[in-house]
Amino acid sequence: MNTGELVDLGQQLRVDSVRASAAAGSGHPTSSMSAADLMAVLLAHHLRYDFERPAHPGNDRFVLSKGHASPLLYSAYKAAGAIDDEELLTFRKLGSRLEGHPTPQRLPWVETATGSLGQGLPVGVGIALAGKRLDRTDYRVWVLCGDSEMAEGSVWEAAEHAGHEHLDNLVVIVDVNRLGQRGPTRHGHDLDAYARRFRAFDWHTVEIDGHDVDAIDRAYGEALSTQGQPTAIIARTLKGKGVEAVEDREGQHGKPLPEAEEAIAELGGARDLRVRVQEPPAARALHSAGTGETELPRYDKGDEVATRNAFGEALAALGTARGDVVALDGEVGDSTRAEYFAKEHPERYFECYIAEQQMVAAAVGMAARGWVPFATSFAAFLTRAYDFVRMASVSGSGINLVGSHAGVAIGQDGPSQMGLEDIAMMRAVHGSTVLYPCDANQTARLVAEMAGLEGIRYLRTSRGGSKVIYGADEEFPVGGSKVLRSSDEDRLTVVAAGVTVHEALAAADALERDGIRVRVIDLYSVKPVDRATLRQAAEDTGCLLTVEDHRREGGIGDAVLDAFTDGRPVPRLVRLAVETMPGSASPAEELHAAGIDAQSIEAAGRMLVEQAIVP
Amino acid sequence: MNTGELVDLGQQLRVDSVRASAAAGSGHPTSSMSAADLMAVLLAHHLRYDFERPAHPGNDRFVLSKGHASPLLYSAYKAAGAIDDEELLTFRKLGSRLEGHPTPQRLPWVETATGSLGQGLPVGVGIALAGKRLDRTDYRVWVLCGDSEMAEGSVWEAAEHAGHEHLDNLVVIVDVNRLGQRGPTRHGHDLDAYARRFRAFDWHTVEIDGHDVDAIDRAYGEALSTQGQPTAIIARTLKGKGVEAVEDREGQHGKPLPEAEEAIAELGGARDLRVRVQEPPAARALHSAGTGETELPRYDKGDEVATRNAFGEALAALGTARGDVVALDGEVGDSTRAEYFAKEHPERYFECYIAEQQMVAAAVGMAARGWVPFATSFAAFLTRAYDFVRMASVSGSGINLVGSHAGVAIGQDGPSQMGLEDIAMMRAVHGSTVLYPCDANQTARLVAEMAGLEGIRYLRTSRGGSKVIYGADEEFPVGGSKVLRSSDEDRLTVVAAGVTVHEALAAADALERDGIRVRVIDLYSVKPVDRATLRQAAEDTGCLLTVEDHRREGGIGDAVLDAFTDGRPVPRLVRLAVETMPGSASPAEELHAAGIDAQSIEAAGRMLVEQAIVP
């Protein structure tokens, strides 16, 4: 396209953004209009993409980090012939694929769900890493960001990661339109403020007028020819560009234009330009082959093995069997035992340093390219990435997260290092799976199994050794549980998981010595939960006691309730959980102080059986 | 102190760090040893602090961001005479104040709990902001960071905020010891890599040898005389400095020295130097006075008012009554309505731009200085700051968080903007309060009430208008609930909160038309929960139906269970919650699609009353 045609295409994208938002009665046309020329030139001259084959391995990848500018994205899809005008005007309506913020659950051309700002670039870094180190295909990753979102620390985690990894297949375009949601941004039109930050993180930068299509074209060309560094194109733009009533004005964020018809006329009226987007180059298939046979580690009953160790060994074995498994860790691989994988499969291991948001985002990016990522940190520190986990579920992304050092059982390091909210956090994520093994063989089996699931899969591991209580051939289906003690005379069911399983068994022994038979259930699958077994236990024993190394709220006790909310009678219930703020102490002292050790279970169980009120 | 004495003091801090860790059998002596000279010079020459009066308004503030170097901190306390040697050797033991990572819950000289890396600087920014704009006292804020934690985006949110606000009362000292937990950091000993990043964010920087006490002294002096910019001192150090067996060696993180006695000898043996820390200057008392009388907004029954609007108006009124109330927002104050406070009290309003971690950290910092912060964003985006909320609770910090745009009821913007996990997240935080009002008068009352509570207080508000159903004089004690419909013939209790209260009332009307009397409970206090009322309702009506605009896990349904886990019989239960991934649609369409509108409640209630199993 020549200059005039590119200008025209930009105007068309503006007009269609205005039209879509007007039809919806809501949306972000002004945020779309600032970036319209940047998008027009990308689409017409630089993007290599086959809209009919979004899975084509050679396709460039485009991420709209400023997801609220979805009208611009959908207008570009229309210009590329991927959607028609009728569909464009379904924007934001019930059942439409064209949501307020784009998601890959609905549209095959969207790489990741955006709408929580500061996430597009970190996910783009993950895709670019996959391109360089896994797919080894020379697609480009283009990320369009807003200027407001530069305030998010996750953007600088991503900048650091990309600069350090020399991701010259990554281009970020910052649409500096000066205005955030509620008014001016921190840096206004000071392009150099952004450029010098990116340069400090070892990026190549180009500053341009984001409405000069020739300058944009040259900048993209410069980015494509830059070796050894990612490129940030810092573009000065005007929000609402092209319509005087809204252009560069405050108070015009996130609403349709006041006079859509006049605005469209001012923009030169509706057009129907079509862009022939460049074909991607031929590219080879993904993934290195594995052996296909997973030889999981096997542990002897009675040995003491930490579940984090079993996780590491199982992950390394899984990596041998499956060439599509990759691992990422937040600079604690020696603790999480992800380093066992790193030693066996260094080419598929990603050190993310202490940047949990970037770690999860990179996993999402790699999953978008068909890889099966395991991202690991302390369970406590995965809270850092909660918004990324939440958005991963909006994307429908399939990622494995593993949190080590769960609960007060870690001992002396104290509460800052204790994962005590992780189950609540992960259970609340839509479509998630939450697993919490109590021994090494169970851990190994669950690692292999979780890799094959959909959605967000979370495994919780423990720091200290646990006695191996299951044989190496035992199976642990997700959604199941194990009944470890059972008799016809059971008067109480104790439901435990992870470290408390061993405490529950000891408590059951003690109660049995007093003639109180106890059923013990190992609830290794916290979500989904084994409703049938819990229901049966409740019917058989009349009462349930749950015990967990986690906060009372949102954890195993709450999960058990899932079995009893269909309107049928509910058993008598008591929950034991961590209800104090722990300090430093030995693991055994911590369990006792929190009231979740064998002695506490025994005491509460006795009261429950005696139908006393448990304080 | 002269050079020799400073060197000696540094060695003493090393020796005491080694001794404390040896006595504990765990801890981080090598991470302490790298920063010992930096700490010695600060303590002896620059810090102004009265250890007997930690609340002294003129005291400098010191934050150990690398909280694992707690042995160094406690050794410094000993050198300053704040603790004795006997207590030093209780490090990490049950009941000791000297935890693995320092917390203000145990020690009066600790400003904020650390141990989750990347949080000390953001909290320090909050304290420095308080110093500049609220306390208007010229204390200095000193933050000692590790080099590993520079990978956290939160550090750069803080750098951006401090640079932009010209916080020349803030000094960060980066202990560049080259080694993280599992091996070398990204930048090793490349001091300039850190310095140029800070400079890009408009900081003054000084690069020094962190073991040269005179250079350290000069650098602190330079920081103190720098105007208009915060200063970052980038110090080249060696991990484990002074003991050859561990100095600058990998694999020596987070463990006692292998031969403590030999190490102590190598460091020149135990010493008992005492430091006379400079007195703080006289300083005036904190806080501007308010009127003392809170004139909350009053709304007329039957009017449609969004609870977010009532929140904004109530917060502005509270700010008038109380001079200690401050507000912070993440660049969405026009949506959260925090802007109503900003208009009335601009001097106590802090725009944090889109940086939720920094926003919560700033609130924690201000709370540490005695202010009562309200930090606001979309409920969905508070997930970004979960690790900061978690650590705030470890600190025992008293902060108010308000999340707007809760649930699917926001409509067209779609799932990225919908707070659907926030109740689960906030409930799981130790000692938290979770409030969810359904009308404007209730909101206003709860805003005034939450400001007076301890710990983390969370208020959830809604985007759209809700009918005012309570009078302006009605009271809403935290831990209470409101029974909106009640009779002796009730056969079902519906428990709702926020937007679903109105749906529940409509459903109750419909069921009553069919002769089914329904009790309706407005559970505005989700945590703590009103056990007595729920228990009574269960006994009276035999079954409960909960309905919430939130995920099924960890929300209101789970909260209701709290009333029934004392071993006494539990009612029959059904939960309605958001179990799909919403798309874009109108608010009414969203509520219907999620199965939480009046029609859905009516259908499920009917099944429950008929003792059918509810799918």
Side-chain angles (χ1 to χ4, degrees):
Chain A
M1 281 191 175
N2 62 31
T3 301
E5 288 167 329
L6 288 172
V7 168
D8 242 25
L9 178 59
Q11 291 295 79
Q12 172 175 314
L13 298 180
R14 288 187 176 91
V15 167
D16 282 345
S17 297
V18 170
R19 292 174 63 233
S21 306
S26 68
H28 297 76
T30 58
S31 304
S32 300
M33 292 158 82
S34 61
D37 301 312
L38 295 163
M39 181 67 101
V41 178
L42 180 63
L43 196 69
H45 282 189
H46 298 278
L47 191 74
R48 298 171 304 180
Y49 197 86
D50 185 341
F51 279 90
E52 292 190 357
R53 294 192 294 164
H56 190 298
N59 275 343
D60 280 355
R61 306 285 149 185
F62 176 77
V63 176
L64 182 71
S65 188
K66 47 179 291 184
H68 54 288
S70 56
L72 175 63
L73 185 69
Y74 306 146
S75 299
Y77 289 164
K78 180 190 143 187
I83 64 169
D84 60 21
D85 196 64
E86 190 181 357
E87 182 166 12
L88 180 70
L89 299 181
T90 66
F91 178 49
R92 285 173 165 253
K93 295 203 174 89
L94 180 67
S96 172
R97 298 193 295 175
L98 309 185
E99 294 198 13
H101 297 78
T103 96
Q105 296 241 45
R106 316 258 173 187
L107 289 168
W109 317 293
V110 174
E111 304 295 328
T112 188
T114 50
S116 179
L117 290 168
Q119 299 209 9
L121 184 56
V123 173
V125 167
I127 301 172
L129 275 171
K132 281 269 174 195
R133 287 186 45 193
L134 297 169
D135 300 336
R136 279 166 281 176
T137 304
D138 67 349
Y139 55 75
R140 293 269 162 178
V141 182
W142 305 86
V143 180
L144 179 58
C145 290
D147 46 355
S148 278
E149 65 180 307
M150 295 294 118
E152 285 286 11
S154 56
V155 168
W156 303 104
E157 290 185 15
E160 177 73 286
H161 204 103
H164 185 69
E165 297 274 353
H166 308 288
L167 297 179
D168 54 15
N169 57 343
L170 175 68
V171 185
V172 64
I173 305 153
V174 187
D175 174 26
V176 185
N177 67 21
R178 187 187 77 80
L179 291 171
Q181 173 178 318
R182 70 98 206 67
T185 60
R186 217 173 226 144
H187 299 297
H189 270 138
D190 179 2
L191 300 193
D192 187 57
Y194 301 105
R196 69 173 183 270
R197 285 162 175 72
F198 275 105
R199 281 196 302 271
F201 286 95
D202 302 321
W203 286 54
H204 179 66
T205 62
V206 191
E207 298 174 40
I208 56 168
D209 173 352
H211 300 309
D212 177 341
V213 292
D214 294 322
I216 297 167
D217 207 18
R218 285 191 301 273
Y220 291 162
E222 185 174 329
L224 292 175
S225 64
T226 297
Q227 303 283 316
Q229 282 183 299
T231 297
I233 295 169
I234 317 293
R236 183 186 195 281
T237 63
L238 298 177
K239 199 159 175 170
K241 168 73 177 176
V243 174
E244 204 198 334
V246 297
E247 184 178 294
D248 200 33
R249 284 180 204 265
E250 292 190 39
Q252 297 298 331
H253 180 94
K255 50 179 83 160
L257 262 51
E259 302 289 344
E261 286 308 315
E262 284 176 26
I264 291 164
E266 192 177 342
L267 290 164
R271 295 164 180 79
D272 195 17
L273 297 172
R274 290 302 164 100
V275 180
R276 202 182 151 82
V277 175
Q278 280 182 70
E279 288 287 312
R284 62 181 184 74
L286 301 172
H287 302 161
S288 38
T291 61
E293 292 274 311
T294 309
E295 294 195 31
L296 288 175
R298 301 171 69 86
Y299 303 94
D300 292 334
K301 276 195 188 182
D303 282 1
E304 288 272 326
V305 184
T307 55
R308 60 174 171 149
N309 291 10
F311 158 70
E313 288 165 2
L315 185 64
L318 191 66
T320 302
R322 293 182 58 159
D324 58 354
V325 168
V326 302
L328 310 92
D329 188 274
E331 220 271 291
V332 288
D334 54 333
S335 288
T336 60
R337 308 306 198 210
E339 70 175 13
Y340 299 172
F341 182 96
K343 279 180 190 141
E344 302 276 329
H345 313 289
E347 75 289 356
R348 282 183 273 140
Y349 184 73
F350 296 84
E351 177 57 73
C352 296
Y353 297 92
I354 307 181
E356 296 80 6
Q357 296 185 107
Q358 176 56 55
M359 177 180 74
V360 172
V364 170
M366 290 172 187
R369 301 295 308 117
W371 298 88
V372 179
F374 279 76
T376 49
S377 185
F378 282 31
F381 304 142
L382 290 177
T383 57
R384 198 64 156 260
Y386 194 25
D387 195 29
F388 286 77
V389 177
R390 178 181 78 85
M391 288 299 296
S393 95
V394 175
S395 285
S397 183
I399 58 171
N400 303 282
L401 300 171
V402 180
S404 69
H405 292 66
V408 301
I410 67 164
Q412 286 83 353
D413 273 336
S416 65
Q417 319 291 304
M418 294 169 172
L420 286 169
E421 303 82 8
D422 55 317
I423 295 178
M425 168 175 96
M426 295 296 185
R427 278 182 70 237
V429 170
H430 179 64
S432 64
T433 301
V434 178
L435 306 171
Y436 182 19
C438 71
D439 95 339
N441 283 320
Q442 189 179 51
T443 305
R445 288 280 177 160
L446 291 174
V447 169
E449 202 166 342
M450 70 194 284
L453 301 177
E454 305 277 307
I456 311 296
R457 295 87 80 160
Y458 177 59
L459 182 82
R460 183 183 216 227
T461 67
S462 297
R463 176 177 177 273
S466 300
K467 194 157 91 171
V468 177
I469 59 172
Y470 294 110
D473 295 316
E474 184 110 16
E475 295 189 3
F476 301 95
V478 169
S481 66
K482 289 286 170 185
V483 179
L484 288 169
R485 296 283 167 85
S486 178
S487 79
D488 289 346
E489 294 135 50
D490 294 340
R491 294 168 60 196
L492 166 69
T493 300
V494 177
V495 185
V499 67
T500 60
V501 167
H502 305 278
E503 302 296 322
L505 289 171
D509 288 344
L511 287 166
E512 190 167 341
R513 283 194 289 271
D514 288 353
I516 300 171
R517 302 291 289 264
V518 177
R519 187 165 302 182
V520 177
I521 296 177
D522 169 10
L523 201 73
Y524 63 84
S525 179
V526 178
K527 182 185 174 189
V529 80
D530 183 353
R531 296 180 187 198
T533 299
L534 291 169
R535 167 72 62 188
Q536 186 64 50
E539 281 172 18
D540 292 349
T541 71
C543 54
L544 294 184
L545 186 154
T546 66
V547 54
E548 60 193 300
D549 193 359
H550 183 273
R551 293 292 176 204
R552 179 184 178 91
E553 298 85 5
I556 291 164
D558 282 359
V560 165
L561 183 66
D562 256 357
F564 303 101
T565 51
D566 60 2
R568 286 186 291 173
V570 183
R572 290 184 302 118
L573 274 174
V574 164
R575 290 192 289 188
L576 301 181
V578 181
E579 304 198 42
T580 56
M581 182 56 72
S584 289
S586 72
E589 289 166 341
E590 297 279 7
L591 291 175
H592 184 70
I596 56 171
D597 65 345
Q599 197 181 329
S600 309
I601 298 167
E602 186 192 336
R606 203 180 299 276
M607 292 179 78
L608 186 54
V609 167
E610 289 164 1
Q611 305 207 9
I613 292 174
V614 182
Chain B
M1 282 191 176
N2 63 32
T3 301
E5 289 166 327
L6 289 171
V7 168
D8 242 23
L9 179 59
Q11 291 295 79
Q12 172 176 316
L13 298 180
R14 289 188 177 91
V15 168
D16 282 345
S17 296
V18 170
R19 292 174 62 235
S21 305
S26 67
H28 297 75
T30 57
S31 304
S32 299
M33 294 157 81
S34 60
D37 301 310
L38 295 163
M39 181 66 100
V41 178
L42 180 63
L43 196 69
H45 281 190
H46 297 279
L47 191 74
R48 298 172 305 181
Y49 197 88
D50 185 342
F51 278 90
E52 294 190 356
R53 294 193 294 163
H56 190 299
N59 275 342
D60 280 356
R61 306 286 151 185
F62 176 77
V63 176
L64 181 71
S65 188
K66 47 178 294 184
H68 55 286
S70 57
L72 175 63
L73 185 70
Y74 305 147
S75 299
Y77 289 164
K78 180 191 143 187
I83 65 169
D84 61 19
D85 196 63
E86 191 181 356
E87 183 167 11
L88 180 70
L89 299 181
T90 65
F91 178 50
R92 284 175 165 252
K93 296 204 172 91
L94 180 67
S96 172
R97 298 193 295 175
L98 309 186
E99 293 197 13
H101 298 78
T103 95
Q105 297 241 46
R106 316 258 172 187
L107 289 167
W109 317 293
V110 174
E111 303 296 328
T112 188
T114 50
S116 179
L117 290 168
Q119 300 210 7
L121 183 56
V123 173
V125 167
I127 301 173
L129 275 172
K132 282 269 173 193
R133 287 185 45 192
L134 297 170
D135 301 335
R136 278 165 283 175
T137 304
D138 68 349
Y139 54 77
R140 292 270 163 179
V141 181
W142 305 86
V143 181
L144 178 59
C145 291
D147 47 355
S148 278
E149 64 180 308
M150 295 294 117
E152 285 284 11
S154 56
V155 168
W156 302 104
E157 290 184 14
E160 176 73 287
H161 204 103
H164 184 70
E165 298 274 353
H166 308 288
L167 297 180
D168 53 16
N169 57 344
L170 175 67
V171 185
V172 65
I173 306 153
V174 187
D175 175 25
V176 184
N177 67 20
R178 187 189 77 81
L179 292 171
Q181 173 179 319
R182 69 98 206 69
T185 60
R186 217 173 225 143
H187 299 297
H189 269 139
D190 179 3
L191 299 192
D192 187 57
Y194 300 105
R196 69 173 184 270
R197 284 161 176 72
F198 275 104
R199 281 196 301 271
F201 286 95
D202 301 321
W203 286 54
H204 179 65
T205 63
V206 191
E207 298 174 41
I208 57 167
D209 172 353
H211 300 309
D212 176 341
V213 292
D214 294 321
I216 297 168
D217 208 18
R218 284 192 301 274
Y220 290 161
E222 185 174 329
L224 292 174
S225 64
T226 298
Q227 302 284 317
Q229 282 184 300
T231 296
I233 296 170
I234 316 294
R236 183 186 194 280
T237 64
L238 298 177
K239 197 158 176 171
K241 167 74 178 174
V243 175
E244 204 199 333
V246 298
E247 183 178 295
D248 200 32
R249 285 180 203 264
E250 292 191 38
Q252 298 298 334
H253 179 94
K255 51 179 81 158
L257 261 51
E259 302 289 345
E261 286 309 316
E262 283 176 27
I264 291 164
E266 192 177 342
L267 291 164
R271 294 163 178 81
D272 195 16
L273 297 172
R274 289 302 162 101
V275 180
R276 203 182 152 82
V277 176
Q278 280 182 71
E279 287 288 311
R284 62 181 184 75
L286 302 172
H287 302 161
S288 39
T291 61
E293 293 273 309
T294 309
E295 296 196 30
L296 288 175
R298 300 171 69 87
Y299 304 94
D300 293 332
K301 277 194 187 182
D303 281 2
E304 288 271 326
V305 184
T307 56
R308 61 174 169 149
N309 290 11
F311 157 71
E313 288 164 2
L315 185 64
L318 190 67
T320 302
R322 294 183 58 158
D324 58 355
V325 167
V326 301
L328 309 93
D329 188 274
E331 220 271 290
V332 288
D334 54 334
S335 287
T336 61
R337 308 306 197 210
E339 69 175 14
Y340 299 171
F341 181 97
K343 278 179 191 142
E344 302 277 330
H345 313 288
E347 75 289 358
R348 282 184 272 140
Y349 184 73
F350 296 84
E351 176 57 73
C352 297
Y353 297 92
I354 307 181
E356 295 82 6
Q357 297 185 106
Q358 176 57 55
M359 177 180 74
V360 171
V364 170
M366 291 172 186
R369 301 297 307 117
W371 298 88
V372 179
F374 279 75
T376 49
S377 186
F378 283 33
F381 304 142
L382 291 177
T383 58
R384 198 64 157 259
Y386 194 26
D387 195 30
F388 286 76
V389 177
R390 179 181 78 85
M391 288 299 297
S393 94
V394 176
S395 285
S397 183
I399 58 172
N400 303 282
L401 300 171
V402 180
S404 69
H405 293 66
V408 301
I410 67 165
Q412 286 83 353
D413 273 336
S416 65
Q417 319 292 302
M418 294 170 172
L420 286 169
E421 302 82 7
D422 56 317
I423 295 178
M425 169 175 95
M426 295 297 185
R427 278 181 70 237
V429 170
H430 179 63
S432 64
T433 301
V434 178
L435 305 170
Y436 182 19
C438 71
D439 94 340
N441 284 319
Q442 189 180 52
T443 305
R445 288 281 177 159
L446 291 174
V447 169
E449 203 165 343
M450 70 193 284
L453 301 177
E454 305 277 307
I456 312 296
R457 295 86 82 159
Y458 177 59
L459 182 82
R460 183 183 216 227
T461 67
S462 298
R463 175 177 178 273
S466 299
K467 193 156 93 172
V468 177
I469 60 173
Y470 295 111
D473 295 317
E474 185 109 16
E475 294 189 3
F476 301 96
V478 169
S481 66
K482 289 286 172 186
V483 179
L484 289 169
R485 296 281 167 84
S486 178
S487 79
D488 289 346
E489 293 136 50
D490 293 340
R491 295 169 59 196
L492 165 70
T493 300
V494 177
V495 185
V499 66
T500 60
V501 167
H502 306 278
E503 301 297 324
L505 290 171
D509 288 344
L511 287 165
E512 190 168 340
R513 283 192 291 271
D514 289 352
I516 301 171
R517 300 290 290 263
V518 177
R519 187 164 304 181
V520 177
I521 296 178
D522 169 10
L523 200 74
Y524 63 84
S525 178
V526 178
K527 182 185 174 190
V529 79
D530 183 354
R531 296 180 186 197
T533 300
L534 290 169
R535 168 70 64 186
Q536 187 64 51
E539 281 171 17
D540 292 349
T541 71
C543 55
L544 294 184
L545 185 154
T546 66
V547 55
E548 60 194 300
D549 192 358
H550 183 274
R551 293 290 176 205
R552 179 183 176 92
E553 297 85 6
I556 291 163
D558 282 358
V560 165
L561 183 65
D562 256 356
F564 303 102
T565 51
D566 59 2
R568 287 186 289 173
V570 184
R572 291 184 300 120
L573 274 175
V574 164
R575 291 192 289 188
L576 302 181
V578 180
E579 303 197 45
T580 56
M581 182 55 72
S584 288
S586 74
E589 287 166 341
E590 297 278 8
L591 292 174
H592 185 68
I596 56 171
D597 65 345
Q599 197 180 328
S600 308
I601 298 167
E602 186 191 336
R606 202 181 299 276
M607 291 179 80
L608 187 53
V609 167
E610 289 163 0
Q611 304 207 9
I613 292 174
V614 182

